Every structure is written in structure tokens, then in C-alpha cells.
Amino acid sequence: MLTYKVNTFNASGRMKESKAALISKLNDGWLRLLGIPTVAFVITFFFYSEEWIVKGHAFSFCFLTSLAVTTFVWYLNRFILLYFRRTYTSIDATGKRIAIQLFTSLIASAVLSLGISWFYDLSEYWGGSLFWQDYLYNLIIILMFVFIISGIYEAIFYFARWRFSVRETEELKKANLQSQFESLKNQVSPHFLFNSLNTLSSLIEENPETAIRFVNQLSKVYRYLLQSNEKELTTIKEELEFLDAYIFLLKTRFGEGLNMTKVLPDEYLSTLIPPLTLQILIENAVKHNIVSASNPLTIEVNSCKEEHICVVNNKQKKTINVASNGLGLANIAAKYKLLNKPAINIDDGATEFIVSLPIIKIKVMRVLIVEDENLAAKRIRKMVEEHEPDFIVEEITDSIASTVSWLNTHPHPDLILMDIELADGQSFEIFNQVEVKSTIIFTTAYDEFAIRAFKVNSIDYLLKPIDPEELKKSFEKLKRLTGTNAAEVSRIDMDSIVHALREKNIPAFKQRFLVKQGQRLIPIDINEIAFFYTEDKISFIKTFNDQRYIVDHSLDELEELLNPMEFFRANRQFIVSPRSLEGIHHHFNGKLKINLKPLAAEEVYVSRERASDFKKWLGEE
């Protein structure tokens, strides 16, 4: 029997942490910041107005006094509240906690109030002695606000606890459903394996070639079974490919006794169903019906109605009762229920047994990989699937011919990861034979000239060997472009890219310049040049031996002709070599001042906008 390692969802750890945080922390910074000054103001304005209106005390003096008293009372009650929440954590003890907490707060606040009044009386803080009525008045005011503040804290606490309870309930439901789902995925009959091994033992002597193929298909089946344990959903295309291997095993066993047909529209292939759903239905059909050459069992997978797949088999029940635990159909129904999808429909007719399965549509990115190196193609596919679960690799083609054929017979994918150098030519020949309606990301080992073309034309590229992080960045760029019709961007720029790639006979970058000096023509090697600059709308070369020559190109033209790894456009007047840099200094407003060797006729600055690129060009991470 196959066993699986299952990762079950566990919410208890997070729930405990959240509950502990709820009890041990009040998270009331905003309440204290607003509440203490507000209470102090209300007390000053409404309850002690006599002090600043009649007796002549400054309002600010009265307010600051109220603010100090309110702060003392607030923090005293806050400490009491927090202490009793930590002491009585159970919901069942809520009533007891509130009663003891309120009683303690009132007693403590009353003692504090009397202490403050005694201080006022003893020090004649308000300009004279207090009467017992003043003591009582202060006590009533403080206790009234203790009730209000305690009520606000309790209301906030109950609201937070209610939110926590709702979240906890949802997490526990999810944990329970996930556990059930994982349990359902693990229901794999051992009888199939035993029957397959029995068939294989017969084939080894009778037909070794078929036996080898049988082993290959059996490995595909069990590989899929193991991989499906990691998924809640799979594409119908993947399920059908698995089904081909599974049916081969059954056909090898039953021969002409089993007929299988699949008729599904192409648009169904990228939609989703729970893994092993079709396999369970076919296994059930074989299990409960006669399968023989004289009475063949016919199974058809078709699109019986809109957005549904039907698995139909003719009914020819076995005469003897077949042991069954009834889990097959129940498991499929449960999977759809756990995924919160429409229910399956079962039609047990007189001559046919039909199960209708709703297809599940989730927005996925369909991917085609064009790569003639098998190992490289597998590695790219693995990286795609690891980084982007919503990206579905529909096919891998390895030549111009196979790619053109696939694009002519299938809906175009959202993305093509395309190698340039294929066994039968360069891949841009594909665009001459078919109108590609997909976004293209090239995988290439091309020179900087081609790479610059990709950058200029907003098409991404990946240098081989492909770095997983670079692939991830490309996908992020693709997602941003998708919002502005990335496929349209691809079509607009493809001619420019193809043209750039075809210029293979043109050197990637200028290696030397032919300049005039009087009547002579002098070749200047690129390694002799320190920088280029303009003066009075004329472009000049400055060499390391401090010679100056006029060059018949504008700086914009030179920027295109020069290797960007060797020369940088510092500003509108200068293009510099890294070997000419003698010093770099920070300047006003984010600019950089650079000292050149040989000296330039004027000070040279890198603009604030280009400073970051300049640093990266020099190797800063």
C-alpha cells in the first residue's frame, strides 16, 4: 500500500499566540493619547469652571492640573485592569473578573482621590482650605470617570475578543476541512498495484518490449499519485496525460475488453479539477462492471454540458456482489464540497452510469517553453512551477518546426519562454511562419548588442544558465505588463527585436574610430579613448595620452555604438570610460562630481537622475 507524507494545516500555534497577545497587551496607545487630554479638558471645562471663571485661576493652570490627575487615575486603573485580565483568562470567569476589577478600581481610585484632595487642602493649592463637600465632589467626579473609562476598555476588549473568536472559528474550520481533504487524497487502492505487478510478471516472459513500456507507464502513474498529494487542484490537461498512462495499464490487462475515448474542447485543458478525480471514476467503472472482449466496457470522457466534464460508461453489472466501501464517489463529492465548488451530479440510468463534474476556472498563466536542450527545459519547467503555482506549463517544444506546429494547432499561451538558438535554426524564424499572440521572454546567451535591443523594446530576457531570482523578476515584470496588454507590447516590438538579432555580421560595438588629422586618416582603438565630449556642437575624442580628435558622430549616436559596459553617458556633454575616472565626489542636490584623467576642459557632473545607474555601472550592489 502506498503511504504519503501529508502536511496538515495547524492553526493552534497561531491562535495561542494571538490569544496571549490579546490578554497581555491592551494596545491602547491611541486611546490614551486621545482619552487622557479629552477627559482632562471635560473635567476642567464643565466641573471646575468656577476655578478659572470665578476665582481667577488661569485656564491653562486648571487644565494642566486636571491632566496630571487624570493621568494618575488612568494609569492606576489601567494597571488594575491588566492585572485582572491576566489573572482571570477564562471566558467563564468574565463576570467574576469584572466585579472584582471594578471594586478594586473604585477603592483604589477613591483612595487616590482622597489623597489628592488632602494634598490640595494641606498645601492650599487652590488658594485656601477645602471643605468636606469639596472632598466628596472630587471623589464623585473621579469615580464617575472611572466607570466610563472601565466601560470603554471592556467594550474594546469584548470587540477584540469577538474578532479573535470569529477568526479562530474560521481557522479551525479550515484546519478541519484541510485535514479531511488530505485524508481523502490518501485513499489509494493497493489492489491496483497488485494487479499491475501480476500483469507485469506475465509480460516479462511473453512480451519483453511491452513489459518495458508497461513499467514506464506504471512509473508515470505512481509519480503522478505522489505529486498529486501536494496539490488541491490540477489542470485537466495534466489529469488526462496521467489518464493515458493509467488506461495503458488497464488496456494491457484487459485488452479488447476496455474501450476508452476522450472528447474535450481545447479551452477545457487549462481548467482545473481535484487530482485523481477521473482516475477514481474509471477505476469504479472497471470495478463494478463486466470487462471482457465479448462484452467490452466503454468509457467516454466528454463535455456533456457547459463547464462540466462527464464520465460515461455503459452498465453491465457483475453478477456477483463486489466488495465496496462506497468511498469513491463520496470522496469526489467531498472534495468539491471542501473546495466550496458546485456539487457533482450522478445519473445512475438503466443502461449508462454518468458522473458530471463541474470544471473549476482559476485565472492561470499558460506557458510554452521552447528549448532544444532536454535538461535545460526540465530545469526551466521546475523553476516555473516552484516560483509561480498559477503558471501552467502546457508544452515543451524543441525546434522551429515543432513550435510552429504547436502554435498552429493550439490556443496561443500567455507566455513563451523561448531559446534563440535551436537545432533547426534561430527561433525568430518562428515569427515569419506564424503570428505569435503571446508575450515572449527570451532565454539567451547573446551578446550585449542583442540584450540592449531587448531592453529598449521592453521585452525581457534571461541569460543562460538561468538564475532563479532573475526568472522571478521576469515574472514580476510580466505581471505588471499584463495589466497594460503585454501581448500587444510583444507584437509591436517583435520586428525590432528580430531585426536586432539578425544583425549577426555587424560587430556588437565599435572597436575603433577612423578620424581625420589634417590630410591623414588615423585609426583610434577603443582602448585608447578616455572619454568623448561635445564642444560648440562638435564631438571630440580624448585619448589617454591627452590627444584630441574630432569624431563624426553625435553623442547620442556614440552611445548606441559603444559597449555600455565600457562607457557611460555621464551627462549631455560627456561619455566616459571607467579607466578615465580619477576621483568621484558627492555634490549638491544628489549629483556626483567626477575627476577625469586626462583633465577635461570643464568640471564634469553626473546628474542626480543618473547617479544611481552610474554607481551600479561601477559595480555597486
Side-chain angles (χ1 to χ4, degrees), residues 221-234:
V221 167
Y222 275 88
R223 186 182 301 112
Y224 184 83
L225 291 175
L226 291 169
Q227 291 172 346
S228 68
N229 186 52
E230 301 170 2
K231 304 177 183 178
E232 290 187 357
L233 294 169
T234 188

Side-chain angles (χ1 to χ4, degrees), residues 401-412:
S402 61
T403 304
V404 170
S405 174
W406 193 89
L407 291 172
N408 282 331
T409 55
H410 294 81
H412 286 208

Side-chain angles (χ1 to χ4, degrees), residues 421-457:
E421 293 290 348
L422 300 174
D424 56 348
Q426 293 176 330
S427 60
F428 49 74
E429 182 61 31
I430 294 167
F431 305 102
N432 290 335
Q433 300 184 35
V434 61
E435 182 185 357
V436 179
K437 300 177 181 179
S438 309
T439 300
I440 311 296
I441 294 179
F442 285 100
T443 59
T444 177
Y446 254 78
D447 56 27
E448 291 291 331
F449 183 71
I451 290 172
R452 280 199 305 162
F454 294 133
K455 288 182 177 178
V456 169
N457 291 289

Side-chain angles (χ1 to χ4, degrees), residues 93 118 213 417 425 578:
W118 178 76
R213 188 181 175 195
L417 290 165

Side-chain angles (χ1 to χ4, degrees), residues 439 457-459 481 484-494:
T439 300
N457 291 289
S458 302
I459 301 298
L481 286 174
T484 57
N485 198 345
E488 190 65 30
V489 173
S490 297
R491 290 196 294 274
I492 290 171
D493 296 321
M494 193 53 61

Side-chain angles (χ1 to χ4, degrees), residues 564-599:
M565 302 297 290
E566 298 297 331
F567 289 90
F568 185 86
R569 181 76 176 265
N571 52 44
R572 292 184 179 181
Q573 286 78 36
F574 284 85
I575 297 176
V576 300
S577 163
R579 294 182 297 138
S580 69
L581 300 174
E582 193 171 43
I584 304 171
H585 310 279
H586 287 286
H587 195 65
F588 176 72
N589 202 24
K591 293 181 180 179
L592 295 174
K593 180 181 178 182
I594 56 178
N595 299 331
L596 299 179
K597 186 178 180 181
L599 287 174

